[in-house]
Amino acid sequence: MQLVFTAQNLQANQLVQLTSAHYQHVIQVLRQPVGAQLEVVGADQQAYRGEIKTIDQEQKSFSVQLAAEALADTELPVNAEIICGLPKREKTEWIVQKATELGASQIVFFAGQRSIMRWRPEQVAKKLARLQQIAASAAEQSHRRQIPVVAYWPNLLKALPTGPHNLVAYEEVVKGQHDTELGRQLRQLQLELSQRPTVKPTVRVIFGPEGGLAPAEVASLQALAVNCIGLGPRILRTETAPLYFLSSLSYAIEVESFAK
Amino acid sequence: MQLVFTAQNLQANQLVQLTSAHYQHVIQVLRQPVGAQLEVVGADQQAYRGEIKTIDQEQKSFSVQLAAEALADTELPVNAEIICGLPKREKTEWIVQKATELGASQIVFFAGQRSIMRWRPEQVAKKLARLQQIAASAAEQSHRRQIPVVAYWPNLLKALPTGPHNLVAYEEVVKGQHDTELGRQLRQLQLELSQRPTVKPTVRVIFGPEGGLAPAEVASLQALAVNCIGLGPRILRTETAPLYFLSSLSYAIEVESFAK
């Protein structure tokens, strides 16, 4: 079922008017008729099932009758921020698409010491707009309640906010040994969520570009109290590592912690 | 560091002769000189660090002095079989690449009722050879100890082996609710591994194609005692779902179960 994001504040049982871009996409491109069902997400990230009631071709708008109850939330109970050393172009696009499906709240690219690519200042806005569009499509497709923010940091160390859950995935963490820091970190998050369910903690994980992080970069991060984590015994490509983390995060706090 | 798979049985401290394809790849393409380090995996899946000792250009062969100790294993302690409804071509290729990085032991594609694609019988061998090559490259890159087998099943129900851990990822498992069957299944695997560490259980997971599985397909699988699992509250694309499962599996049995 099609999902659309609107900046409006939605109420149960409301008759919502949607216009312009929504009209073009839902009515003109997807050719949805009166009576068609869709999901609408409002400014407060509440989503409602709705039915198209009227279509006004002259005004290029249509009305949707919302259901009496909001749909269940689909967002991770934590803010998950993925901070990736800038890889080749097509990899940025699918990291954004997949990280959005897997629940990331922010997706950042930074120019790592070993990044083959660099974004010239005049390129940044255009590239971010393209990636933000990919995030919006993936958020609709995966029935998210928010569209992740895509950002670019020319300087990782200066831009990194402080926080208790800042992590760096570092493959030099001895492979083949059982590195359990990720397990400790996710168990800590499970504990925090069980103790203070109303607070939404933020976990940030930094990933190297194709060439990996330079030891000096990792040392600088550790000086900022960023913890090194491994992602299992196999060596993951730069675009695979964030998906491993986000999947493990979802499993630990959305699936496993509820299993009896 | 470069890793190569050989069909030879390897011993610690052995001087190994590598020829033909290995010579072409390591010496001619990668231009590795005498003294270069690499990793060699033998027929028994034991891997050794090694150093190139001699290069014979006439015989197109080179010798590698293996170290005194085998490297730590990088394989999952279970056989993880990913069984995917046939998606579009480029998606088959990156499912194979990513599932190999994430530790799958077998990657199967099948013609689902809603698969847009079909492989004609005369195409199967050529397509599998191409995908098997992608699996081999990904296995080298991620430092696996085995190359996953890629297969095609024209008929899912007839080809599916019986087993205690046959699962199907079915998104109609009510989304937004906490579906905990995956958590129960992975905890059961953790338990089995702790009780019988020498036995390597096999877990198989079936994933639908782009259009999803038809209800009749799911019913037929349930009649074969295949358990439905959800993969968290968001709707994942057909190529993302297997990565979520393999990452969660690795987290549960290679990371979390060792965390104190």
Side-chain angles (χ1 to χ4, degrees):
Chain A
M1 183 178 307
Q2 183 61 33
L3 177 143
V4 298
F5 289 92
T6 170
Q8 301 177 52
N9 291 309
L10 302 180
Q11 308 292 337
N13 297 313
Q14 182 185 353
L15 186 71
V16 188
Q17 291 292 327
L18 296 173
T19 59
S20 58
H22 291 128
Y23 179 88
Q24 190 184 14
H25 184 52
V26 175
I27 306 301
Q28 295 186 308
V29 176
L30 299 176
R31 298 169 172 266
Q32 296 294 298
V34 168
Q37 301 281 312
L38 70 166
E39 292 182 12
V40 187
V41 182
D44 61 356
Q45 297 186 18
Q46 285 285 317
Y48 295 86
R49 181 72 49 89
E51 180 180 321
I52 298 177
K53 285 295 177 189
T54 61
I55 297 176
D56 185 332
Q57 296 183 333
E58 291 204 344
Q59 299 298 318
K60 294 198 179 306
S61 74
F62 62 109
S63 65
V64 177
Q65 175 62 55
L66 300 184
E69 286 194 356
L71 294 162
D73 193 12
T74 62
E75 289 296 313
L76 278 165
V78 304
N79 298 309
E81 303 187 2
I82 296 305
I83 304 166
C84 305
L86 191 59
K88 300 199 191 84
R89 180 179 141 279
E90 67 279 8
K91 291 189 175 185
T92 60
E93 297 187 352
W94 89 248
I95 286 172
V96 167
Q97 183 188 70
K98 298 307 171 209
T100 299
E101 287 179 63
L102 293 168
S105 58
Q106 183 167 217
I107 301 155
V108 177
F109 294 101
F110 68 94
Q113 282 184 28
R114 296 179 181 169
S115 287
I116 305 158
M117 311 296 291
R118 286 277 189 285
W119 285 358
R120 294 192 306 278
E122 66 273 19
Q123 295 177 303
V124 172
K126 183 159 176 259
K127 287 180 177 292
L128 286 181
R130 159 90 177 144
L131 293 174
Q132 194 64 64
Q133 183 51 54
I134 290 170
S137 304
E140 288 179 2
Q141 182 274 336
S142 55
H143 287 238
R144 293 283 305 270
R145 300 296 182 247
Q146 63 174 314
I147 301 169
V149 174
V150 185
Y152 179 69
W153 292 351
N155 185 316
L156 171 63
L157 297 177
K158 285 188 182 151
L160 185 69
T162 56
H165 303 296
N166 285 358
L167 309 173
V168 56
Y170 191 44
E171 72 176 25
E172 299 312 314
V173 171
V174 182
K175 288 292 176 182
Q177 308 296 328
H178 290 293
D179 174 73
T180 58
E181 182 58 26
L182 175 61
R184 279 190 291 273
Q185 291 286 337
L186 295 188
R187 284 184 180 182
Q188 176 59 31
L189 276 175
Q190 288 175 331
L191 185 66
E192 285 181 34
L193 290 166
S194 64
Q195 291 171 338
R196 303 167 62 197
T198 58
V199 182
K200 202 167 187 179
T202 294
V203 56
R204 292 180 190 91
V205 188
I206 297 157
F207 302 89
E210 278 97 343
L213 291 165
E217 287 179 298
V218 176
S220 307
L221 289 168
Q222 289 175 305
L224 296 175
V226 176
N227 289 312
C228 286
I229 57 170
L231 300 172
R234 291 161 298 281
I235 294 177
L236 302 179
R237 282 188 169 85
T238 183
E239 71 276 17
T240 313
L243 310 191
Y244 181 105
F245 172 76
L246 289 169
S247 300
S248 299
L249 175 67
S250 167
Y251 173 72
I253 67 179
E254 293 184 311
V255 176
E256 194 271 346
S257 58
F258 293 91
K260 293 288 160 294
Chain B
M1 183 177 306
Q2 183 61 35
L3 177 144
V4 298
F5 289 91
T6 170
Q8 301 177 53
N9 290 310
L10 303 179
Q11 307 293 338
N13 297 313
Q14 181 185 354
L15 187 69
V16 189
Q17 290 292 329
L18 296 173
T19 59
S20 59
H22 291 128
Y23 179 88
Q24 189 181 15
H25 184 53
V26 175
I27 306 301
Q28 295 185 309
V29 176
L30 300 176
R31 300 172 171 260
Q32 296 293 299
V34 167
Q37 301 282 313
L38 71 165
E39 292 182 11
V40 187
V41 181
D44 60 357
Q45 297 185 19
Q46 285 285 317
Y48 296 86
R49 182 72 49 88
E51 180 180 322
I52 299 178
K53 284 296 179 190
T54 61
I55 297 176
D56 184 333
Q57 297 182 331
E58 290 205 345
Q59 299 297 319
K60 295 197 178 305
S61 75
F62 63 107
S63 64
V64 176
Q65 174 62 56
L66 300 184
E69 287 195 356
L71 293 162
D73 193 13
T74 61
E75 289 295 314
L76 278 165
V78 304
N79 299 308
E81 304 187 0
I82 296 306
I83 302 165
C84 305
L86 191 60
K88 302 200 188 84
R89 181 180 141 277
E90 68 278 8
K91 291 188 175 186
T92 59
E93 296 186 352
W94 89 248
I95 287 172
V96 168
Q97 184 189 69
K98 299 309 172 203
T100 299
E101 287 180 62
L102 293 168
S105 58
Q106 181 165 220
I107 302 155
V108 177
F109 294 101
F110 69 94
Q113 283 184 29
R114 296 178 181 170
S115 288
I116 307 159
M117 310 298 290
R118 285 278 189 284
W119 285 358
R120 295 193 306 277
E122 66 272 21
Q123 294 178 303
V124 172
K126 183 157 176 266
K127 288 180 177 290
L128 286 181
R130 158 90 178 145
L131 293 174
Q132 195 64 63
Q133 183 51 52
I134 290 170
S137 303
E140 287 179 4
Q141 181 274 335
S142 55
H143 286 239
R144 293 282 306 269
R145 300 296 181 248
Q146 63 173 311
I147 299 169
V149 174
V150 184
Y152 179 69
W153 292 350
N155 186 315
L156 172 62
L157 298 176
K158 285 189 183 149
L160 185 69
T162 56
H165 302 297
N166 285 357
L167 309 173
V168 56
Y170 191 44
E171 72 177 23
E172 300 311 315
V173 170
V174 182
K175 287 292 175 184
Q177 307 297 329
H178 291 294
D179 173 73
T180 58
E181 182 58 24
L182 175 61
R184 279 189 291 274
Q185 291 287 339
L186 296 189
R187 284 184 181 183
Q188 176 60 30
L189 275 176
Q190 288 174 333
L191 186 65
E192 285 181 35
L193 290 166
S194 64
Q195 290 171 337
R196 303 168 63 196
T198 58
V199 182
K200 201 167 188 178
T202 294
V203 55
R204 293 181 190 90
V205 189
I206 297 156
F207 302 88
E210 277 98 343
L213 291 165
E217 286 178 301
V218 175
S220 307
L221 289 168
Q222 290 175 305
L224 295 176
V226 176
N227 288 313
C228 286
I229 57 170
L231 301 172
R234 291 162 299 280
I235 295 180
L236 303 179
R237 284 187 167 86
T238 183
E239 72 274 18
T240 313
L243 310 192
Y244 181 105
F245 171 76
L246 289 168
S247 300
S248 299
L249 175 66
S250 168
Y251 173 73
I253 67 178
E254 293 183 312
V255 176
E256 193 272 348
S257 58
F258 293 91
K260 293 291 163 291

